[in-house]
Amino acid sequence: MKLTIERAALLKALAHVQSVVERRNTIPILSNVLITAQKGRLSLAATDMDLAITESVEASASKTGSTTAPAHTLYEIVRKLPDGAQVELEAASDNSSLVIRAGRSRFTLQCLPPADFPAMTEGDLPHRFQLPATDLKAIIDRTRFAISNEETRYYLNGIYFHAATSGATQVLRGVATDGHRLARVEVPLPKGAGEIPGVIVPRKTVGEVRKLLDESDGSVDIELSDTRIRFSSGNITLVSKLIDGTFPDYERVIPTGNDKVLNVPCKEFANAVDRVSTISTEKSRAIKLAVAKGIVTLSATSPDAGSATEEIEVEYKDTALEIGFNSRYLLDITEQIAGSEARFLMADAGSPTLVRDGADESALYVLMPMRV
């Protein structure tokens, strides 16, 4: 195998594929990227056995063939080469090593046989549809903060995608929760997605797909079954296993009778929460909201640090209420709100609070209160 490729094109493709490769691997071949030279193309592939990515770029191949090389080392070498360099990759005839040449630089990397590189079986993917990249971006950006990190509740370690009906409209929903907060975002249901099963896309896959969306303006082709999902955009394909579990009935925790409506100027409120929470203890991050007509008083106390209070003017006309929240969770939710106003719908100090974007009804957040 022998080919020449422009540094920028190789670096961009390597950046995508090497991020799938785990830093520590007990199986050596999983630390490598599969490099395949075809006529006029270079194909790169990487996998961690749960997730596989393939990307192809233009290259000038004088000898076709394939090899595997250490992904992170190869990426670092190409990253440190000068801009505009032409990079030559040449594999030894027995595939034991790969030589990288650029200008006066020459590197030799140890290789493993491409035949050892594991192929991820996709099986039949019966459901196919196209989703605008902006819609997929919106779902991921506004829900992934609520994905659980608890490995014991593995079925919460991803975003739950499913088709649903909102009023009279058919929608595609993305939901994430960790038991303390919940995020639900809706986009118009794409053609062909009406019959999809509810699937849980793992956290790592969500992160990798999100990176690819930064460079995609059009639409993403999605194909899925009960156990696998494939995302294709341009010359990149990403295949992932789905989480094998049942996502809880999240509708039950979304309150419907919360009648105390609090409208706050979002940016001002978030800044106040951030300032006051400086005092709250590192473990609980607790902050208290004393809500009265036209005003909210934020307060935090800590036996070690002292206390803090701040008042902001708000729209509120119901009976006075005191309620406590984890300040980090409050800030995570206010960061997702695009409009100038956030709307809190509360019942009492012990019941879940509903948070909505004053300018956008497609997103909904639920936050559990805490004792302060």
Side-chain angles (χ1 to χ4, degrees):
M1 182 200 89
K2 188 176 181 181
L3 63 93
T4 307
I5 184 171
E6 211 266 316
R7 171 194 173 265
L10 180 58
L11 182 66
K12 188 175 165 185
L14 276 172
H16 291 154
V17 298
Q18 64 93 30
S19 68
V20 167
V21 177
E22 294 290 341
R23 288 277 169 190
R24 291 198 181 107
N25 269 309
T26 51
I27 306 168
I29 194 73
L30 295 184
S31 298
N32 282 19
V33 58
L34 176 66
I35 304 163
T36 307
Q38 296 146 329
K39 200 174 176 184
R41 308 288 298 167
L42 163 68
S43 170
L44 299 171
T47 183
D48 66 358
M49 299 300 279
D50 291 322
L51 174 64
I53 185 170
T54 310
E55 179 163 357
S56 66
V57 286
E58 284 185 21
S60 169
S62 53
K63 270 191 210 164
T64 59
S66 60
T67 189
T68 78
H72 297 306
T73 310
L74 181 58
Y75 171 71
E76 284 302 317
I77 289 170
V78 176
R79 188 176 68 79
K80 291 172 182 176
L81 291 174
D83 279 342
Q86 289 292 316
V87 183
E88 185 184 276
L89 304 178
E90 184 175 6
S93 54
D94 60 354
N95 259 336
S96 61
S97 62
L98 176 72
V99 176
I100 302 131
R101 297 186 191 90
R104 294 183 174 183
S105 304
R106 186 179 186 276
F107 303 85
T108 305
L109 296 180
Q110 295 302 306
C111 295
L112 290 169
D116 293 353
F117 192 82
M120 195 159 146
T121 54
E122 292 177 25
D124 185 32
L125 302 170
H127 304 279
R128 299 178 182 189
F129 58 94
Q130 280 193 332
L131 189 63
T134 47
D135 283 358
L136 188 52
K137 230 182 260 188
I139 291 178
I140 292 174
D141 287 349
R142 296 160 97 181
T143 58
R144 70 170 166 176
F145 72 89
I147 294 174
S148 173
N149 292 314
E150 277 184 58
E151 298 302 327
T152 50
R153 301 166 84 189
Y154 63 92
Y155 49 85
L156 298 181
N157 295 160
I159 297 177
Y160 178 55
F161 286 88
H162 66 119
T165 306
S166 177
T169 317
Q170 291 256 292
V171 292
L172 177 68
R173 262 186 201 160
V175 186
T177 182
D178 62 4
H180 303 290
R181 63 255 171 98
L182 178 144
R184 189 193 82 189
V185 176
E186 298 174 343
V187 298
L189 187 71
K191 191 179 172 189
E195 300 296 315
I196 64 165
V199 296
I200 309 167
V201 180
R203 184 197 305 108
K204 182 176 177 180
T205 305
V206 166
E208 293 304 323
V209 169
R210 182 62 188 84
K211 286 177 199 168
L212 304 181
L213 290 174
D214 279 334
E215 292 159 26
S216 172
D217 302 322
S219 58
V220 181
D221 292 314
I222 299 175
E223 298 172 60
L224 59 90
S225 66
D226 293 333
T227 57
R228 298 275 192 282
I229 188 163
R230 179 163 69 193
F231 299 89
S232 307
S233 178
N235 53 358
I236 305 170
T237 302
L238 200 145
V239 181
S240 170
K241 289 180 182 174
L242 295 166
I243 291 175
D244 181 14
T246 305
F247 199 79
D249 180 9
Y250 65 89
E251 295 281 5
R252 288 190 312 134
V253 301
I254 299 176
T256 52
N258 288 11
D259 54 356
K260 294 182 172 68
V261 182
L262 165 69
N263 290 315
V264 301
C266 193
K267 200 158 181 68
E268 190 186 336
F269 176 74
N271 289 339
V273 169
D274 195 23
R275 281 191 290 270
V276 172
S277 67
T278 312
I279 292 294
S280 63
T281 58
E282 188 65 34
K283 192 177 175 191
S284 75
R285 300 178 185 273
I287 187 167
K288 184 160 78 177
L289 276 62
V291 190
K293 283 187 172 62
I295 203 153
V296 165
T297 306
L298 305 166
S299 62
T301 56
S302 157
D304 303 324
S307 63
T309 61
E310 184 166 340
E311 289 183 351
I312 60 169
E313 289 181 10
V314 295
E315 266 183 58
Y316 184 75
K317 294 171 183 165
D318 285 289
T319 51
L321 172 72
E322 285 195 352
I323 190 166
F325 293 112
N326 178 312
S327 58
R328 182 67 257 158
Y329 295 169
L330 259 183
L331 290 170
D332 282 343
I333 288 175
T334 51
E335 275 172 23
Q336 313 312 317
I337 289 172
S340 59
E341 196 172 73
R343 181 178 301 137
F344 288 74
L345 292 94
M346 302 173 292
D348 55 56
S351 302
T353 291
L354 199 60
V355 187
R356 300 204 83 134
D357 188 334
D360 183 1
E361 287 294 306
S362 69
L364 167 153
Y365 307 96
V366 180
L367 185 55
M368 295 299 291
M370 63 189 295
R371 283 206 188 98
V372 181

